[in-house]
Amino acid sequence: MEFRLEQKRQIVTEVPGPKSKEIAERRAKYVSASVGSALPSYIEQADGAVLRDVDGNQFIDFGSGIGVTTVGNSSPKVVKAIQETAAANTHLQINTAPYENYVDLCQKLTEITPGDFDKKAVLFNSGAEALENAVKIARKHTGRNAIVVFEHAFHGRTNLTMAMTSKNAPYKDGFGPFAPEVYRAPLSYPYRDAEGLTGAQAAARTIDMIDKQVGAKNVAAIIIEPLVGEGGFIVPAEGFLPALVEYAHENGIVFVSDEVQAGMCRTGKWFCSEWDGIEPDLVTSAKGIAGGMPLSAVIGRAEIMDASHPGGIGGTYSGNPIANAAALATIEAYEEEHLRDEALRIEQKIREILEPLVAELDVVGEVRGRGAMMAVELVTGADKTPNPELVKKVVADALAQGVLFLTCGTYGNVVRFLPPLVISDELLEDGLGVLVEAIRKHA
Ligand code: PLZ
């Protein structure tokens, strides 16, 4: 594979450097203070698995812009598709003058989404917008109101999706009142659940809560991330998701898999729910779907997707032709470059380097995840008390040395790994080596 930028980390100034500092000064004056940034440097170019800042420093990208550039930063196929489509049309609008690549993309998405039944799709801009619309579709289809979501969930920052999101600060604090009819159920979190609790037992606990506190016949949708993202990269115990799907189907509830972060090749399958052998009624997709263009989708059972009256679902920019072309090129690259296999290679490498630390250091609680969606949970010791202070120190240390790690978790004590799938073993080893050293130093 060829890249514009040499695939290596390189620190040539202090971080942030002088040019970044000048931009930061203007930012403080003109950009709303409500927006935060993990990196103090300003990026000029991104290529493959490397980010280069305005001062010439290069960072290994373990974040992919929160799981977006899964196909690689500035993937050549995607860039070409964007350029060619932009030259033909910068905007077309599905509700007014339709165009072919909207249809092409929906067709492709229905082909790669799990489920042995007729499917249809509809396109939007952001992950939150996909979730909002999945709720609209499920409510219209069932004629019911209640939405069941989970502990540690993240579904977005709009009013309804804030209500669906679990963590107060920073996402919800002071932004209420929130949308009604959203109920929070217990999750399966093997590392923190009672030892030995099986997926089936955790599901029984969840179902009991739904039955007692909501009533199955009132529930329009159960919405869950099959690998919980912002909440801490939590993989539910085996059997948890299938039991919930079964319960949903017995009770006429729409089962929605929120694959905004875990979907689209990230975990080594097209969609993460394939790992659990489930066929969700609806899937929400975004992030890795379009190589960086703002695009999202709801894909699912044709009869549910058709429940709304024509014109009931839409949006000015939904399914922008440039974003659609980028998505088609991204999916092609995933196939042609066998990137699902690369996700599995990345998981193996991360496990090989980090798993030995669990036995060696009592601050390393667990290494978990699937494919290129992996994480390490840091604690203070055997009692598993979350250790967000250690996470902050470790991530700051890595940053100063040219490695960008993102954090997550309800308790802020998880370092997550979401590298582009084109990252080499060499870069993985280099970046994770820096992390291991930092954990040892601060443990
Ligand atoms: N569903 C599972 O992970 C977005 C949040 C970044 P949007 N996750 C990144 C932040 O701090 O706002 C996400 C997700 C899952 C929905 C969303 C929302 O997707 O494209 O950010 O709206």
Side-chain angles (χ1 to χ4, degrees):
M1 222 165 195
E2 284 189 17
F3 296 100
R4 257 183 304 117
L5 296 178
E6 203 183 340
Q7 297 294 290
K8 65 164 199 187
R9 70 186 162 103
Q10 166 183 296
I11 295 297
V12 294
T13 69
E14 57 174 353
V15 177
K19 287 186 182 160
S20 280
K21 278 190 184 147
E22 188 274 323
I23 298 170
E25 270 169 39
R26 283 191 293 123
R27 172 183 178 154
K29 188 150 187 238
Y30 297 114
V31 178
S32 162
S34 60
V35 186
S37 298
L39 187 69
S41 292
Y42 285 75
I43 300 303
E44 189 179 72
Q45 292 195 53
D47 187 28
V50 157
L51 308 171
R52 186 183 172 93
D53 78 8
V54 288
D55 293 288
N57 299 302
Q58 288 198 172
F59 300 86
I60 306 176
D61 182 11
F62 274 86
S64 300
I66 323 188
V68 172
T69 50
T70 309
V71 70
N73 286 289
S74 328
S75 171
K77 270 200 188 76
V78 178
V79 171
K80 186 160 169 271
I82 290 171
Q83 286 169 337
E84 284 174 6
T85 310
N89 33 243
T90 50
H91 171 73
L92 292 169
Q93 212 283 321
I94 190 68
N95 302 118
T96 52
Y99 42 99
E100 190 173 5
N101 79 1
Y102 192 108
V103 179
D104 294 340
L105 180 57
C106 288
Q107 182 178 348
K108 188 73 201 172
L109 289 171
T110 60
E111 286 166 9
I112 63 175
T113 305
D116 190 18
F117 40 75
D118 288 343
K119 280 167 254 156
K120 290 192 174 184
V122 59
L123 307 176
F124 304 101
N125 303 286
S126 68
E129 207 185 354
L131 268 301
E132 291 263 354
N133 281 283
V135 170
K136 281 166 75 172
I137 292 166
R139 283 181 170 157
K140 189 82 179 184
H141 172 73
T142 57
R144 304 172 180 177
N145 290 327
I147 302 299
V148 172
V149 292
F150 289 80
E151 294 165 342
H152 308 289
F154 183 93
H155 297 293
R157 292 179 184 258
T158 59
N159 187 266
L160 173 59
T161 58
M162 270 194 294
M164 294 163 64
T165 290
S166 158
K167 193 173 176 178
N168 176 48
Y171 306 123
K172 302 166 74 165
D173 198 41
F175 296 143
F178 303 110
E181 287 304 313
V182 176
Y183 299 90
R184 194 162 311 285
L187 183 70
S188 159
Y189 188 163
Y191 179 64
R192 295 197 173 274
D193 279 338
E195 196 148 348
L197 188 80
T198 65
Q201 288 164 340
R205 179 176 67 180
T206 301
I207 289 166
D208 184 62
M209 174 270 159
I210 299 172
D211 282 339
K212 302 292 185 309
Q213 297 184 35
V214 196
K217 69 177 189 343
N218 300 314
V219 179
I222 294 174
I223 303 183
I224 189 164
E225 300 158 77
L227 197 171
V228 179
E230 301 300 312
F233 279 33
I234 303 158
V235 183
E238 199 185 330
F240 180 69
L241 294 173
L244 292 182
V245 171
E246 197 186 323
Y247 171 77
H249 290 168
E250 281 168 6
N251 290 285
I253 298 167
V254 177
F255 184 92
V256 183
S257 183
D258 178 358
E259 305 231 12
V260 165
Q261 191 157 169
M264 268 296 154
C265 246
R266 174 56 61 189
T267 66
K269 302 263 189 201
W270 282 121
F271 290 96
C272 182
S273 44
E274 289 170 60
W275 284 113
D276 292 279
I278 57 168
E279 296 183 343
D281 298 312
L282 300 181
V283 168
T284 54
S285 180
K287 293 189 187 281
I289 196 173
M293 291 293 104
L295 185 79
S296 65
V298 180
I299 312 132
R301 283 184 194 272
E303 68 274 19
I304 300 177
M305 294 297 295
D306 282 342
S308 168
H309 48 281
I313 303 282
T316 305
Y317 298 107
S318 304
N320 169 280
I322 301 172
N324 293 349
L328 287 160
T330 298
I331 295 170
E332 202 178 292
Y334 285 146
E335 277 170 341
E336 285 177 2
E337 294 163 25
H338 307 289
L339 292 181
R340 277 169 288 172
D341 297 341
E342 296 300 304
L344 300 179
R345 165 186 62 87
I346 290 166
E347 171 171 354
Q348 210 181 348
K349 184 54 74 184
I350 292 174
R351 287 193 184 280
E352 187 186 303
I353 294 174
L354 296 183
E355 273 179 346
L357 295 184
V358 177
E360 184 196 320
L361 299 169
D362 60 3
V363 295
V364 179
E366 189 179 46
V367 177
R368 60 174 177 253
R370 294 188 195 277
M373 186 168 180
M374 299 290 295
V376 58
E377 175 156 0
L378 299 183
V379 292
T380 54
D383 69 347
K384 300 186 180 179
T385 304
N387 197 341
E389 295 78 22
L390 178 58
V391 164
K392 278 196 201 97
K393 283 185 202 153
V394 162
V395 166
D397 243 37
L399 205 82
Q401 294 176 68
V403 193
L404 177 60
F405 290 115
L406 305 182
T407 62
C408 66
T410 299
Y411 315 108
N413 67 323
V414 179
V415 184
R416 59 174 148 174
F417 314 109
L418 287 167
L421 303 181
V422 297
I423 193 169
S424 65
D425 276 350
E426 222 179 329
L427 273 193
L428 279 173
E429 280 163 16
D430 184 27
L432 293 172
V434 169
L435 179 82
V436 171
E437 218 176 279
I439 295 176
R440 283 215 176 95
K441 180 172 138 197
H442 296 291

